[in-house]
Amino acid sequence: MNKKVLMQGNQAIAEAALAAGMKVCAGYPITPSTEVVELLSRKLPAYGGRFIQMEDEIASIGVIIGASAAGKKAMTATSGPGFSLMQELLGYAAMVEIPIVIYNAQRVGPSTGGATMPQQGDIMQTKWGSHGESPRIALCPSSVEEAYNLTITAFNLSEKYMVPVVILADEILAHIRESITIPESDSFEIINRRNNAPPQEEYLPYKVDHTGIPILPPLGGGYRYNISGMIHGDKGVPNLAPETIDYCIQRINSKLKKHYNDIVMVEKMEEENSKIAVLAYGSTARPAKGAVKMAIENGIKVDFIRLITIWPFPEREVREIARRVDKILVPEMNYEGQVAGLVKQSIEGAAEVVQFNKISGLPIYVEEIYNQIIKIERGEK
Amino acid sequence: MSKLDKYLRLDQFPHFACSGCGHGIALASMVRAIDKLELDQNTTIMVCAIGCAGRLPVYLNFPSIRTAHGRALTIATGIKLANPKLKVIVFMGDGDAAAIGGNHLIHAARRNIDMTAIIAINEIYGMTGGQYAPTTKSGHFASTAPFGMIEPQMDICKLVEAAGATFVARGDIYHVVELEKLMLKAISHKGFSVVEALTNCPTQFGRRNKNSRPSEMIKNIKEMTITKKQAEQLSKEELEHKLLRGILIDKERPEYIEEYDRITNFQEEGSLK
Ligand SMILES: Cc1ncc(C[n+]2csc(CCOP(=O)(O)OP(=O)(O)O)c2C)c(N)n1
Ligand code: SF4
């Protein structure tokens, strides 16, 4: 039977990680993510797992990469400053295709910023924070229950596509307490990375089949291959031939494109003949949805789209919305409008993007978004 | 074919190292120690990172993982937490281990997870073209110390001893039989063990310090190190420019993961092989 419980966002993420079969967690305390490592330090040993508090976030991500290379599902939890420190090894994990899950509870930045307040300022850093170009998946939960489910999805996608997955939440979700339904453990799918490598004599670690995804057996599991952040071909050893560089970078970056439909998730509410859409994600999506409902009750037709997957960016779904409406309102807790920019890039002028940015450390409220909708409706925006 | 060939990824040769580079001697000592110990080639994991020293283990036929500059010990820690039964050996240069990776070195020594760190000390950053390392002696020259090194030389053995390493040894590539024995002892030691291996870099260090003949450099290394016994015969002044060779620390302390599993009542799930 499903269980109904009162849970904090951070707690839901920790509990779901255990349910997903995570066995190694390493972290360095940072508000607003700390409850995750505290909880896992207490619970992991009973689940056959180990927790360690490392000397910094660089070490923490190093540990989870090592643990995953040795065959265990592994995660870390952090926020802005710690996430910044992890960038080099985040790119490394993507390059060597070792699956890891990172929970980033976004707080007010830049720098120390404001530890106990929300922001949506790490969208670009998540994808582009490390040097070069490498793939990752990022998921944005907007409720505690969804945080639970998406954490399981994060591990599944990471194992399936051998890629780092970032659970990109924010301080609101991290600390909010909600009553949620915990699914029965046999009611959701658990995906483990493939382990059906050919015999050692024929085995090449980075030689891929039609899926584009390598099979990397656990270190110590009988295969003697090399894992390296240097450009590598099928063999996994350094190889700087121009055609190998081209192949290596193409392959790691195109593999998620191949599986776009399986990875990209959005929630949509569409009205007939609406001229306005509201596009939101994470904690901002809840007041956004509330505002859309309010508008509809007051006779204004508004579409709603919530991006659950933020990387790879749901450009097809966003383009579809742009074809339906004239204006897309994008409320975000950041200064530049990081997602608004991505929307513009995706829709290439098919609709007008109206930004609403709030950076005060306070949540965006329903009325604020509703007022924006009214202004657009009246032609004032 | 030598009996050590099975430990090499022969298809990766020729290797990149300069002729006269001492790192290979240190690496070979490690391989001979592994051979003597008859370690299982599938469950002995080589961990390394960046630098000339950091690139060498890729030539060895073990499961191997090469990570970002300075981070090898963090990867090694993760491997052990996932599967404590694996033998983990980390091979690093002095910049890799003690500059960019210095914080990880301190805390790895403090935790005492059962693994071995081998640090090849050549007083210089070989890979990037001869910049100074924390181990560069005061007065020596480097491409970023064109007027001579101002900072005092770091004693990595003392550092890890203070941090709590349970096995610390220093060897050099002249006393190669002894170096192999030290590595053997370190690899068999239960807990965090460190072997500092003094090596030479003729290309980047030698050239800048008026001595790039490998044989001369190795002779200098020979004269730089002394055993504890020899040290007893020398005055304080005579000792000043010498480095102690041999086992410097060998003690017992609870191994981190054993202790973790004990106090947390760790419940083994399925097969942590
Ligand atoms: C984060 C980062 N900073 C700098 C470098 C450039 N780099 C590569 S190797 C190296 C120094 C290696 O020196 P050492 O560890 O002493 O090894 P050696 O080459 O002397 O064997 C540096 C600074 C890098 N690869 N990554
Ligand atoms: S540069 Fe120095 S350390 Fe690097 S391979 Fe050449 S001699 Fe060895």
Side-chain angles (χ1 to χ4, degrees), chain A residues 308-324:
Chain A
I308 301 170
T309 306
I310 217 107
W311 295 111
F313 192 70
E315 45 189 33
R316 287 184 211 159
E317 289 71 8
V318 171
R319 233 176 275 141
E320 262 166 45
I321 286 276
R323 270 191 228 113
R324 296 171 46 86

Side-chain angles (χ1 to χ4, degrees), chain B residues 101 149 172 199 230 239:
Chain B
M149 175 71 164
D172 67 65
T199 81
Q230 289 167 325
L239 276 174

Side-chain angles (χ1 to χ4, degrees), chain B residues 69-118:
Chain B
H69 196 22
R71 314 304 167 199
L73 287 170
T74 72
I75 298 280
T77 301
I79 294 172
K80 289 298 285 188
L81 288 170
N83 188 349
K85 293 195 176 127
L86 297 175
K87 196 88 190 156
V88 174
I89 302 176
V90 187
F91 195 88
M92 298 175 280
D94 40 11
D96 206 19
I100 193 165
N103 199 23
H104 308 312
L105 182 66
I106 292 169
H107 292 279
R110 186 174 62 81
R111 282 186 198 106
N112 200 35
I113 294 181
D114 183 28
M115 57 174 141
T116 300
I118 293 171

Side-chain angles (χ1 to χ4, degrees), chain A residues 88, chain B residues 23 50-54 68-69 71 92-97 100 120 122-128 131 133 201:
Chain A
E88 187 189 13
Chain B
H23 281 352
I50 303 296
C52 295
H69 196 22
R71 314 304 167 199
M92 298 175 280
D94 40 11
D96 206 19
I100 193 165
N122 59 7
E123 266 198 67
I124 203 90
Y125 286 3
M127 181 63 92
T128 39
Q131 302 75 25
C201 168

Side-chain angles (χ1 to χ4, degrees), chain B residues 16-23 52-53 122 124 126-127 200-204:
Chain B
F16 76 93
C18 310
S19 55
C21 175
H23 281 352
C52 295
N122 59 7
I124 203 90
M127 181 63 92
N200 67 320
C201 168
T203 311
Q204 300 298 356

Side-chain angles (χ1 to χ4, degrees), chain A residues 109-329:
Chain A
S111 189
T112 307
T116 56
M117 288 161 277
Q119 196 177 65
Q120 295 176 309
D122 302 350
I123 307 295
M124 283 298 166
Q125 191 195 15
T126 299
K127 170 69 179 154
W128 299 114
S130 46
H131 55 287
E133 297 159 288
S134 58
R136 30 210 150 289
I137 295 173
L139 309 175
C140 289
S142 64
S143 71
V144 175
E145 183 161 305
E146 192 181 39
Y148 188 98
N149 296 326
L150 278 186
T151 299
I152 292 171
T153 308
F155 280 97
N156 284 348
L157 291 175
S158 150
E159 294 278 313
K160 193 167 174 186
Y161 298 115
M162 301 297 278
V163 71
V165 178
V166 179
I167 302 167
L168 197 54
D170 53 60
E171 188 277 335
I172 299 174
L173 183 89
H175 286 156
I176 203 167
R177 283 187 165 77
E178 292 185 277
S179 168
I180 73 162
T181 305
I182 295 208
E184 270 292 295
S185 61
D186 53 9
S187 69
F188 50 83
E189 192 188 9
I190 295 286
I191 300 174
N192 296 314
R193 68 192 83 167
R194 291 191 293 170
N195 200 5
N196 53 341
Q200 166 81 40
E201 310 80 68
E202 296 159 36
Y203 175 68
L204 293 171
Y206 292 95
K207 189 172 168 64
V208 296
D209 58 14
H210 65 281
T211 62
I213 316 299
I215 301 174
L216 301 175
L219 288 175
Y223 287 81
R224 291 201 290 268
Y225 63 99
N226 181 53
I227 297 173
S228 165
M230 244 177 111
I231 296 283
H232 46 264
D234 294 349
K235 267 188 177 173
V237 290
N239 180 341
L240 290 177
E243 59 278 12
T244 315
I245 300 178
D246 187 75
Y247 171 75
C248 177
I249 296 170
Q250 294 256 10
R251 192 179 65 67
I252 60 167
N253 283 295
S254 64
K255 71 177 182 183
L256 297 185
K257 294 210 169 97
K258 231 181 180 140
H259 301 277
Y260 178 96
N261 288 334
D262 188 41
I263 298 168
V264 169
M265 296 171 280
V266 301
E267 177 199 338
K268 276 196 290 196
M269 292 189 328
E270 288 171 353
E271 292 286 297
E272 224 168 282
N273 299 324
S274 44
K275 298 260 180 294
I276 306 170
V278 177
L279 182 149
Y281 58 96
S283 290
T284 306
R286 294 175 80 172
K289 195 174 183 176
V292 168
K293 283 185 180 157
M294 221 160 118
I296 292 169
E297 275 163 26
N298 289 310
I300 308 168
K301 290 188 165 168
V302 184
D303 280 5
F304 173 71
I305 177 165
R306 178 168 73 89
L307 310 184
I308 301 170
T309 306
I310 217 107
W311 295 111
F313 192 70
E315 45 189 33
R316 287 184 211 159
E317 289 71 8
V318 171
R319 233 176 275 141
E320 262 166 45
I321 286 276
R323 270 191 228 113
R324 296 171 46 86
V325 300
D326 298 335
K327 293 194 176 180
I328 304 177
L329 173 66

Side-chain angles (χ1 to χ4, degrees), chain B:
Chain B
M1 212 175 114
S2 118
K3 82 173 180 109
L4 296 181
D5 277 5
K6 66 171 178 177
Y7 297 109
L8 300 176
R9 291 188 173 130
L10 288 169
D11 63 340
Q12 290 307 300
F13 285 74
H15 59 72
F16 76 93
C18 310
S19 55
C21 175
H23 281 352
I25 304 175
L27 192 79
S29 304
M30 178 188 82
V31 170
R32 280 193 297 270
I34 290 173
D35 186 56
K36 290 237 166 77
L37 288 167
E38 295 178 0
L39 295 186
D40 176 8
Q41 232 167 307
N42 284 332
T43 55
T44 302
I45 318 295
M46 287 297 149
V47 184
C48 57
I50 303 296
C52 295
R55 186 164 172 180
L56 285 174
V58 175
Y59 295 96
L60 301 182
N61 190 15
F62 293 87
S64 54
I65 178 164
R66 182 169 180 231
T67 187
H69 196 22
R71 314 304 167 199
L73 287 170
T74 72
I75 298 280
T77 301
I79 294 172
K80 289 298 285 188
L81 288 170
N83 188 349
K85 293 195 176 127
L86 297 175
K87 196 88 190 156
V88 174
I89 302 176
V90 187
F91 195 88
M92 298 175 280
D94 40 11
D96 206 19
I100 193 165
N103 199 23
H104 308 312
L105 182 66
I106 292 169
H107 292 279
R110 186 174 62 81
R111 282 186 198 106
N112 200 35
I113 294 181
D114 183 28
M115 57 174 141
T116 300
I118 293 171
I119 308 174
I121 312 267
N122 59 7
E123 266 198 67
I124 203 90
Y125 286 3
M127 181 63 92
T128 39
Q131 302 75 25
Y132 62 80
T135 47
T136 306
K137 222 183 248 154
S138 303
H140 277 167
F141 294 93
S143 69
T144 46
F147 308 104
M149 175 71 164
I150 305 174
E151 301 170 22
Q153 183 180 37
M154 181 181 210
D155 185 332
I156 294 177
C157 289
K158 280 193 182 145
L159 174 80
V160 293
E161 178 194 344
T166 47
F167 184 97
V168 183
R170 181 185 284 120
D172 67 65
I173 59 165
Y174 177 87
H175 301 95
V176 69
V177 178
E178 185 183 326
L179 182 61
E180 181 189 319
K181 280 189 190 141
L182 295 174
M183 291 198 183
L184 189 144
K185 286 242 167 73
I187 295 168
S188 345
H189 175 82
K190 177 72 158 281
F192 188 72
S193 54
V194 181
V195 181
E196 188 183 288
L198 303 179
T199 81
N200 67 320
C201 168
T203 311
Q204 300 298 356
F205 182 81
R207 222 158 34 93
R208 290 188 172 79
N209 290 280
K210 298 194 181 71
N211 182 6
S212 60
R213 279 189 55 192
S215 57
E216 287 295 316
M217 292 186 81
I218 294 174
K219 223 185 274 168
N220 282 355
I221 291 175
K222 173 196 173 197
E223 270 145 32
M224 204 155 66
T225 66
I226 50 169
T227 61
K228 270 186 197 160
K229 239 197 203 124
Q230 289 167 325
E232 281 161 17
Q233 316 296 317
L234 299 183
S235 69
K236 225 175 164 193
E237 292 74 46
E238 287 171 313
L239 276 174
E240 209 158 281
H241 296 290
K242 302 285 184 194
L243 285 169
L244 272 187
R245 201 171 81 228
I247 297 173
L248 307 177
I249 300 288
D250 186 0
K251 61 183 182 198
E252 270 181 48
R253 188 152 68 77
E255 194 274 338
Y256 176 94
I257 295 176
E258 281 185 7
E259 198 59 10
Y260 179 93
D261 289 357
R262 191 178 66 74
I263 71 158
T264 62
N265 194 20
F266 174 81
Q267 302 294 314
E268 186 132 0
E269 193 227 33
S271 58
L272 270 179
K273 268 191 289 182

